[in-house]
């Protein structure tokens, strides 16, 4: 009897297992794909009726990342070699791109190619979304994506205007270990309406000479939001919903030979005139050197940390008449800021400068003037910085930090000056000081 009972139990379990296998759809496994330049050429020749060498690598990679999207994610590994992109490669959620030592990604512009070039080497967006106008907003785009360099990896823009990486309406993004070079007119990385983004241990090298002066407001890393009035982003799939950036960290990077390192060059407000702030931005353990304008330029940043960075030789050759140029850290719309443990060497003007400002260029007159809100405690905290061989403001000489509270105008009644060596903060300037 016991034997029959056990046989019935075994048979029932077998039937149950069979039913589960029939009626349950198993989750598709994430994909892992390794490519070389030659393997991508072969893939493009097989899958495209019109083979075009200029777009072969990017088109073949887009097929792979689309298959990863359908599989729920994956790991894409690029082995050593030169990859030429005339067309953007799109990265969906849960995809990690690993670049092996010796990878070079070139931005190319071949006028004879059958597809016109797009604005970036990489876009953090699913490929299928790029065909739908204004389909992604807030932080609802690509999530949990990474660009990881293993060794020396170069993204070379080759002085072709455009971006290296577009990170718009996305979250939980990491970009690490990559060398960027050859910027022209634009930015290397556009962080726009994104949150929880980490950019670590990257090198941002020399931009085209004309970009320094004529396009001096072009940062290597631009922190912005999609606003039709300021032209914050031109991607057709992105909603112009004024989503601000949150929790952006730039750490251990080197910036040299461009106008600005990290910053925002236009701000936005609500229909009722309230400032829209980028919040939780941390700039730490970076090196900013040989920059035409400044290392960090902020507009409408709240709860910001600029800590333990090195700023050297900022503003050299910059003869622009504006008071907010040729500093190490500058801008306006400051609220909740912590600037400590930085070293400033050979800055053309005083290292830190904030005053009231308005948008310029195409965004001029669109929004109300923005101001500086720095508490006395935050001002005293700035004494924890060092400077050497730096310039100052001729109207308010002798200060490493100069900012203007109240209505933001550069008058003694608004001025606050900080001297690192003397460990002094002057909150009550008089005319001529």
């Amino acid at each position: 009897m016991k034997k029959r009972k056990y046989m019935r139990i075994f048979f029932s379990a077998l039937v149950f297992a069979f039913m589960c296998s029939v009626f349950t759809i198993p989750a598709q496994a994430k994909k892992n794909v390794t490519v070389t330049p030659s393997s991508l050429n072969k893939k493009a020749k097989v899958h495209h009726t019109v083979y075009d060498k200029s777009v072969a690598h990017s088109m073949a990679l887009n097929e792979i990342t689309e298959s990863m999207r359908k599989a729920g994610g994956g790991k894409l590994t690029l082995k050593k070699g030169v990859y030429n992109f005339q067309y953007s490669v799109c990265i969906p959620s849960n995809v990690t791109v690993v670049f092996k030592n010796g990878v070079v990604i070139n931005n190319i512009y071949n006028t004879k190619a059958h597809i016109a070039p797009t604005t970036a080497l990489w876009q953090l967006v699913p490929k299928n979304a790029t065909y739908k106008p204004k389909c992604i907003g807030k932080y609802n785009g690509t999530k949990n994506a990474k660009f990881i360099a293993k060794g020396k990896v170069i993204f070379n823009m080759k002085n072709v205007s455009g971006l290296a990486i577009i990170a718009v309406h996305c979250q939980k993004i990491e970009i690490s270990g990559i060398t960027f070079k050859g910027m022209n007119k634009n930015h290397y990385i556009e962080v726009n309406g994104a949150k929880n983004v980490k950019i670590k241990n990257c090198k941002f090298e020399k931009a085209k000479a004309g970009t320094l002066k004529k396009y001096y407001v072009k940062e290597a890393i631009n922190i912005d939001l999609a606003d039709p009035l300021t032209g914050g982003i031109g991607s057709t799939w992105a909603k112009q919903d004024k989503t601000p950036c949150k929790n952006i960290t730039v750490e251990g990077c080197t910036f040299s030979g461009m106008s600005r390192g990290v910053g925002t060059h236009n701000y936005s407000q609500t229909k009722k005139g309230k400032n829209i702030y980028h919040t939780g931005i941390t700039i730490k353990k970076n090196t900013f050197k040989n920059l035409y304008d400044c290392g960090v330029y902020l507009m409408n940043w709240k709860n910001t940390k600029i800590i333990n960075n090195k700023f050297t030789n900022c503003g050299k050759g910059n003869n622009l008449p504006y008071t907010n140029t040729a500093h190490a850290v500058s801008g306006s719309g400051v609220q909740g800021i912590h600037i400590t443990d930085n070293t400033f060497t050979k800055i053309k003007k005083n290292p830190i400068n904030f005053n009231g400002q308005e948008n310029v260029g195409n965004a001029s007159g669109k929004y109300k003037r923005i101001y500086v809100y720095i508490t006395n405690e935050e001002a005293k905290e700035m004494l924890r910085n060092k400077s050497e061989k730096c310039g100052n403001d001729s109207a308010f000489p002798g200060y490493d930090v100069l900012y203007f509270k109240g209505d933001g105008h550069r008058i003694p009644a608004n001025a606050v000056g900080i001297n690192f060596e003397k460990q002094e903060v002057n909150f009550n300037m008089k005319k001529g000081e």
Side-chain angles (χ1 to χ4, degrees):
M1 290 292 292
K2 286 185 177 180
K3 189 174 182 180
R4 288 183 179 178
K5 181 180 179 182
Y6 291 140
M7 288 296 290
R8 285 199 302 271
I9 293 171
F10 175 75
F11 180 74
S12 298
L14 204 63
V15 171
F16 179 76
F18 173 75
M19 296 294 286
C20 287
S21 67
V22 172
F23 294 106
T24 301
I25 300 174
Q28 196 169 5
K30 292 182 179 180
K31 297 190 69 172
N32 295 316
V33 180
T34 299
V35 301
T36 65
S38 60
S39 72
L40 292 176
N41 283 330
K42 290 177 183 177
K43 185 177 180 67
K45 287 179 179 179
V46 171
H47 290 265
H48 294 278
T49 54
V50 179
Y51 173 75
D52 189 327
K53 185 178 180 180
S54 300
V55 298
H57 293 164
S58 47
M59 296 296 280
L61 283 169
N62 273 318
E63 285 190 18
I64 293 168
T65 59
E66 262 294 274
S67 67
M68 288 180 172
R69 178 187 67 81
K70 295 173 183 177
K75 179 180 176 183
L76 171 61
T77 301
L78 277 67
K79 296 185 76 173
K80 179 180 179 179
V82 177
Y83 299 78
N84 294 317
F85 288 13
Q86 165 130 337
Y87 191 74
S88 294
V89 176
C90 296
I91 303 299
S93 296
N94 305 314
V95 169
T96 294
V97 186
V98 175
F99 306 92
K100 293 293 188 177
N101 183 45
V103 166
V104 176
I105 309 290
N106 282 332
N107 189 26
I108 63 172
Y109 193 119
N110 183 354
T111 56
K112 296 180 180 179
H114 77 281
I115 296 178
T118 49
T119 56
L121 296 177
W122 305 88
Q123 296 191 61
L124 285 158
V125 62
K127 179 64 180 174
N128 66 330
T130 62
Y131 306 115
K132 305 170 186 176
K134 299 180 181 180
C135 65
I136 297 178
K138 296 184 178 179
Y139 308 109
N140 295 324
T142 292
K143 302 176 180 66
N144 304 312
K146 297 180 180 181
F147 292 97
I148 309 295
K150 300 288 187 180
K152 187 173 182 179
V153 173
I154 297 172
F155 287 7
N156 191 349
M157 299 303 293
K158 297 184 76 67
N159 294 332
V160 175
S161 180
L163 296 149
I165 299 174
I166 289 179
V168 182
H169 292 316
C170 55
Q171 60 175 296
K172 294 184 180 179
I173 306 300
E174 180 179 338
I175 302 167
S176 68
I178 299 167
T179 296
F180 297 81
K181 60 192 301 184
M183 184 175 83
N184 181 15
K185 300 179 184 177
N186 226 305
H187 313 285
Y188 283 124
I189 302 177
E190 173 80 17
V191 182
N192 190 303
K195 70 176 180 178
N196 301 329
V197 176
K198 294 181 180 179
I199 302 172
K200 305 189 304 181
N201 304 323
C202 292
K203 293 181 180 179
F204 299 88
E205 297 186 349
K206 189 176 180 180
K208 186 177 180 180
T211 298
L212 302 182
K213 297 180 181 180
K214 188 175 180 181
Y215 303 96
Y216 82 98
V217 297
K218 297 302 185 182
E219 304 84 4
I221 300 175
N222 185 37
I223 295 174
D224 206 345
L225 53 79
D227 181 349
L229 295 182
T230 64
I233 188 68
S235 301
T236 57
W237 49 267
K239 289 184 178 179
Q240 301 289 321
D241 59 6
K242 299 184 182 180
T243 299
C245 292
K246 292 183 178 181
N247 303 328
I248 312 299
T249 298
V250 180
E251 180 179 359
C253 297
T254 299
F255 301 83
S256 62
M258 72 277 303
S259 295
R260 294 176 177 173
V262 184
T264 300
H265 54 267
N266 277 317
Y267 61 88
S268 296
Q269 295 169 345
T270 66
K271 290 182 179 179
K272 294 184 178 181
K274 287 187 64 176
N275 282 324
I276 300 173
Y277 285 98
H278 304 293
T279 58
I281 298 172
T282 299
I283 314 293
K284 66 179 181 179
K285 297 181 180 178
N286 303 288
T287 297
F288 301 88
K289 61 183 181 180
N290 303 325
L291 302 180
Y292 179 74
D293 189 26
C294 66
V296 181
Y297 196 92
L298 55 93
M299 300 189 88
N300 275 4
W301 288 15
K302 181 186 285 188
N303 300 331
T304 302
K305 295 179 181 178
I306 303 173
I307 55 178
N308 200 19
N309 302 284
K310 294 181 180 180
F311 298 85
T312 304
N313 203 27
C314 296
K316 184 178 180 180
N318 186 332
N319 297 312
L320 294 171
Y322 316 121
T323 56
N324 56 355
T325 63
H327 304 277
V329 179
S330 190
S332 191
V334 182
Q335 186 170 340
I337 193 160
H338 303 278
I339 307 177
T340 63
D341 304 304
N342 302 285
T343 59
F344 303 94
T345 307
K346 295 182 180 179
I347 310 303
K348 183 170 184 177
K349 297 181 182 178
N350 53 289
I352 302 172
N353 171 83
F354 299 118
N355 48 262
Q357 289 184 24
E358 297 178 8
N359 279 333
V360 296
N362 294 334
S364 177
K366 306 295 184 183
Y367 296 116
K368 296 185 298 184
R369 186 178 176 86
I370 57 176
Y371 303 103
V372 180
Y373 303 99
I374 296 176
T375 67
N376 288 0
E377 290 74 19
E378 291 164 352
K380 292 174 183 177
E381 193 179 49
M382 292 187 206
L383 290 169
R384 290 165 46 193
N385 294 285
K386 295 180 180 179
S387 68
E388 183 179 2
K389 299 179 181 179
C390 296
N392 54 56
D393 191 302
S394 58
F396 301 89
Y399 296 107
D400 298 292
V401 180
L402 186 64
Y403 68 87
F404 297 85
K405 54 191 178 181
D407 63 10
H409 289 105
R410 298 173 63 85
I411 59 176
N414 292 336
V416 175
I418 302 173
N419 185 293
F420 299 151
E421 185 178 2
K422 294 180 181 179
Q423 288 291 284
E424 291 180 354
V425 182
N426 188 346
F427 292 110
N428 300 295
M429 286 194 185
K430 297 178 183 179
K431 190 173 182 179
E433 288 187 328

